[in-house]
Structure formats: C-alpha cells, structure tokens
C-alpha cells in the first residue's frame, strides 16, 4: 500500500515525509477556492508525490461546478481529480444523478486526467444507487488502513482524520500509481 494525505486550507503546513501522494482541496461549490492549493501542491511535487485535487460538491449547478473546479484548481498533466461527495455544511448533499453528472463533466473537460469519487462508507452503502465512481473509488471508512468495509473495488482508502486525513492507495508502487495517473 502507498501512503498519502489529503489537505485543505486548514492544513496550510504539513509534512511530506513518508508520503507517496497528496490530495489538495481546490474548490467548493461555485464560490470557494483554497488560497493555499498551489503552495500545498508544490510542496508535494517537490517531495516526489503524486498530486490530486478535489472539489467539494454542492447540490445544483453541477456543470458550472465542474467547470469552476477544472478552471480554478492548480492541476497539471498527470494530476488526479476527485469529487468529494458528502453532506454540506447545511446538511444537504448532491443527488446521485448530480454526482454522476459532475464526474462525467470533469472527465469531459479534462479527458487526460483520472477522475475519482470520494465518499464515506455510509454514502457508498446507503445513498449511492448507481455505483458510478468514474475512474476509481476513494472511500472513507475509519478502520484499519487498507481494509474498508465495502465489497466494491477501491483505489484509495481514507482510514483516519487524526491528526489529519490519512489515506492508503491500492497500488504496488509509486511508479504504478504515476503510470495509472497518466491515461493514454
């Protein structure tokens, strides 16, 4: 298993020691941009990590959110892109159709990037009805690293949020992850 973290503006400083990949929150809805995303991604790149960016999806205006995400995130060729599908601050969430539309729109806008779905176990088991995760599932389930309690195939497992969000990736090596991140 490869080791990584995901960071947001709350984690303006983090250590890359022992990390193979880093996901950075880029955007949320159609109005928020992480002011630290370029610095956070640069730190990960300098450490040789595979970099990914994620968008926190809100219900509504999904095509506009996808466009906002790809235009405002600091991604370069070979970076992973992800949709963070969970409860919003006001207790709402995007529907299955909206989640699927967002993933497909990001794939359309950035066809040379891998696109993943991030959600927690409860969403995957009890709210998802399509099992659509674009190029891969990034599942949050706070149990032993690499052992999420789901039957579906997964690429990344977030197993804790203490002291920050920690993840493992189901790849044999960093080279394998880098190769997968660069689809032909």
């Amino acid at each position: 298993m490869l080791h990584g973290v995901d960071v947001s503006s709350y984690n303006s400083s983090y250590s890359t020691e022992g990390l193979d990949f880093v996901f950075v929150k880029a955007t949320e809805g159609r109005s928020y941009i992480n002011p630290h995303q370029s610095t956070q991604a640069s730190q990960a790149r300098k450490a040789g990590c595979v970099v990914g960016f994620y968008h926190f999806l809100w219900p509504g205006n999904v095509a506009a959110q996808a466009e906002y995400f790809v235009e405002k995130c600091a991604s370069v060729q070979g970076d992973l892109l992800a949709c963070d599908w969970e409860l919003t601050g006001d207790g709402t969430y995007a529907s299955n159709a909206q989640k699927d539309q967002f993933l497909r729109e990001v794939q359309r806008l950035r066809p040379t990037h891998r696109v993943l779905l991030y959600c927690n176990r409860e969403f995957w088991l009890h709210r998802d009805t399509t099992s659509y995760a674009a190029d891969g599932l990034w599942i949050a389930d706070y149990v032993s690293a690499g052992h999420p309690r789901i039957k579906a195939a997964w690429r990344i497992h977030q197993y804790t949020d203490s002291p920050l969000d920690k993840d493992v990736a189901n790849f044999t090596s960093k080279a394998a992850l880098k190769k997968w991140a660069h689809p032909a």
Side-chain angles (χ1 to χ4, degrees):
M1 292 279 147
L2 303 181
H3 296 275
V5 296
D6 53 279
V7 296
S8 67
S9 62
Y10 299 110
N11 315 105
S12 57
S13 176
Y14 68 97
S15 171
T16 55
E17 187 175 335
L19 298 183
D20 300 297
F21 63 95
V22 174
F23 274 89
V24 177
K25 180 177 182 176
T27 54
E28 181 172 331
R30 292 183 304 145
S31 61
Y32 175 78
I33 301 170
N34 175 358
H36 306 294
Q37 69 171 311
S38 293
T39 302
Q40 291 168 318
S42 177
Q43 179 181 347
R45 289 186 216 294
K46 285 178 186 170
C49 296
V50 172
V51 174
F53 291 91
Y54 68 92
H55 173 81
F56 190 99
L57 185 63
W58 280 73
N61 303 304
V62 173
Q65 286 187 69
E67 191 170 308
Y68 185 76
F69 172 48
V70 299
E71 288 179 1
K72 304 298 183 186
C73 81
S75 69
V76 299
Q77 184 61 38
D79 287 347
L80 302 168
L81 302 175
C83 170
D84 181 349
W85 184 46
E86 59 184 290
L87 285 176
T88 64
D90 64 5
T92 62
Y93 62 93
S95 69
N96 276 272
Q98 291 172 331
K99 175 259 300 180
D100 292 356
Q101 179 189 357
F102 180 87
L103 292 167
R104 287 187 172 98
E105 187 65 11
V106 171
Q107 286 179 311
R108 186 186 73 77
L109 293 168
R110 293 294 183 267
T112 61
H113 290 261
R114 293 283 188 185
V115 180
L116 298 109
L117 170 67
Y118 168 91
C119 68
N120 62 40
R121 179 177 181 261
E122 192 274 329
F123 262 63
W124 185 251
L125 295 179
H126 303 293
R127 297 181 194 231
D128 181 81
T129 58
T130 65
S131 299
Y132 182 66
D135 296 314
L137 178 61
W138 174 11
I139 191 75
D141 187 20
Y142 296 170
V143 293
S144 297
H147 299 284
R149 297 167 294 163
I150 60 170
K151 293 180 182 174
W154 55 273
R155 290 287 184 174
I156 299 173
H157 173 211
Q158 181 187 87
Y159 62 93
T160 187
D161 63 356
S162 180
L164 73 159
D165 293 346
K166 293 184 181 181
D167 307 272
V168 291
N170 195 9
F171 289 88
T172 56
S173 66
K174 192 186 308 187
L177 174 57
K178 284 182 180 183
K179 183 177 180 180
W180 181 79
H182 286 81

